[in-house]
Amino acid sequence: MRSYGQYCAVAKALDVIGDRWTVLIVRELLLRGPSRYTDLRDGLPGIATNLLAERLRALEQAGVLVREDAPPPVATTLFKLTARGEQLRGVLDALGRWGTPFMAEGPAPEDRFRQHWMAWPVQMVLVDSRPQEAPVTIELATGEELRIAIEAAGGEIHARVLRSEHPDAVLAGTPYAILSVLSGGVPLADACEAGLRFEGDERVLARVQPQAIAAAAA
Amino acid sequence: MRSYGQYCAVAKALDVIGDRWTVLIVRELLLRGPSRYTDLRDGLPGIATNLLAERLRALEQAGVLVREDAPPPVATTLFKLTARGEQLRGVLDALGRWGTPFMAEGPAPEDRFRQHWMAWPVQMVLVDSRPQEAPVTIELATGEELRIAIEAAGGEIHARVLRSEHPDAVLAGTPYAILSVLSGGVPLADACEAGLRFEGDERVLARVQPQAIAAAAA
DNA sequence: CCGCATCCGGGGCGATACTG
DNA sequence: CAGTATCGCCCCGGATGCGG
């Protein structure tokens, strides 16, 4: 990208990550960890393949990521964030926090979706209201291949990609329906009548839902 | 800007502020408060005037800022962040934090500079090591018209635009020289020999400088 | 199949000129 | 003071090709 030519910390940061698609490439690497070119492409619906290649080159040159040759027998290239690249998590978190309200309107007609993108709204809205109890995990299922699990443990909420788990609860349905239930905006029973599927212990769900309404009532 | 078409909090945020120059316009409004078109233009060296007008229109439509007619006798238009726009401070802070290391190299030959941009690196690097004492302010002077003052009070560092002050100390010189001294990388005496000007109590300076080196020596 | 490079049309961007 | 108008140009988007 053309530099702003300003001796300013914000402008210098944008000189590196201000290009179109660049921040979203970092998003994929933060959520997925070291990734192959093809997997990045799959997590970035709409990107032109030449742009992805060019951005990866620029980010490598800027010291944000490194290329790694995976050992045989896979023998593929992995793109991996450097320590400096990992520090961009603060920028992505701030953007995700500011952008989460836009999720409340539901997806636009043409919007594409990948399940792991829910990590940000989920961490924004949920709380662990019973930190002293044993950790619990809730699996989210929207029909996508790359799933995430919400983990409540010790007062903190984490969302991470799901490998092979035995969750305490499962929420299956559209992303909007899942977010509506998690945020407490729609009661679970109503959502289930509208097609959401829930398995497991309802108390696990209540543990992580925001308590603003309950607190206001008390 | 063309939407990414992704149902993702980060992508939705970038749909609003991902365009070129947009974040820097928000930077000016955060630092200056409600501003006139001409003042914004002055704080954004390099921007084309049509782009500034178009971005302001888009940000107004997105609910990030509002246009206000200042009362007579000034009778000029003021651009002012909404509450939603003010919430972008977290995004700008994260970008400033990540971009501050780039300031250590000094300005590029063609870099333009405005004094109030130093607010981010200053708040990143300084600490108030004597929170129990009375507040102090240090004025920075780089020859620019819009100056800032560093304020240390109650353990916190704030940088704000300077109206009319009686600072406890004044640092005058190039931005790079000032940052070098504030960060503790260059001793004050050396910098003064190289052209920096300092007025006031040196203990005021020591109060805000980072103590990493002193702590390591102890 | 993976990781690109090339080509081409369109639109956003940059610079300057001009105006109510 | 606060913009609009105009015009190249380069970046971006979409498609296709291609070597390892």
Side-chain angles (χ1 to χ4, degrees), chain A residues 91-181:
Chain A
V91 175
L92 276 283
D93 282 346
L95 281 169
R97 181 178 299 273
W98 193 80
T100 290
F102 295 121
M103 309 283 283
E105 312 159 6
E110 297 294 304
D111 272 359
R112 297 288 303 167
F113 176 72
R114 295 293 182 275
Q115 160 121 330
H116 57 288
W117 298 343
M118 289 178 72
W120 273 286
V122 157
Q123 297 198 59
M124 293 300 109
V125 77
L126 298 188
V127 296
D128 182 10
S129 58
R130 293 198 286 276
Q132 72 284 1
E133 295 186 12
V136 295
T137 61
I138 303 176
E139 177 183 336
L140 304 187
T142 56
E144 297 286 331
E145 67 303 327
L146 187 61
R147 303 187 166 183
I148 64 170
I150 307 168
E151 194 173 50
E156 294 193 338
I157 297 283
H158 293 285
R160 49 187 180 68
V161 299
L162 187 71
R163 306 294 180 198
S164 61
E165 292 301 317
H166 35 77
D168 301 288
V170 178
L171 268 173
T174 68
Y176 182 51
I178 291 178
L179 280 179
S180 300
V181 168

Side-chain angles (χ1 to χ4, degrees), chain A residues 4, chain B residues 1-2 14 16-23 54-55:
Chain A
Y4 284 107
Chain B
M1 124 174 298
R2 177 182 183 145
L14 291 177
V16 176
I17 60 164
D19 258 324
R20 191 160 163 80
W21 290 108
T22 300
V23 169
E54 197 219 274
R55 295 293 186 267

Side-chain angles (χ1 to χ4, degrees), chain A residues 34-74:
Chain A
S35 309
R36 298 183 302 176
Y37 186 92
T38 317
D39 291 332
L40 289 177
R41 223 182 81 128
D42 183 71
L44 296 162
I47 197 175
T49 160
N50 57 342
L51 281 188
L52 177 54
E54 196 218 275
R55 296 292 186 268
L56 288 172
R57 226 180 298 129
L59 286 173
E60 186 183 12
Q61 167 128 19
V64 171
L65 58 82
V66 287
R67 223 170 271 258
E68 251 184 17
D69 287 336
V74 265

Side-chain angles (χ1 to χ4, degrees), chain B residues 76-131:
Chain B
T76 181
T77 317
L78 286 180
F79 297 90
K80 175 186 166 186
L81 291 176
T82 61
R84 184 92 175 108
E86 283 283 348
Q87 289 170 358
L88 281 169
R89 187 178 299 273
V91 175
L92 276 283
D93 282 346
L95 281 169
R97 180 177 299 272
W98 193 81
T100 290
F102 295 121
M103 309 284 283
E105 312 158 7
E110 298 294 304
D111 272 359
R112 298 288 304 166
F113 175 73
R114 295 293 184 274
Q115 159 120 330
H116 57 288
W117 298 342
M118 288 178 72
W120 274 285
V122 157
Q123 297 199 57
M124 293 299 109
V125 76
L126 298 188
V127 296
D128 181 9
S129 58
R130 293 198 287 274

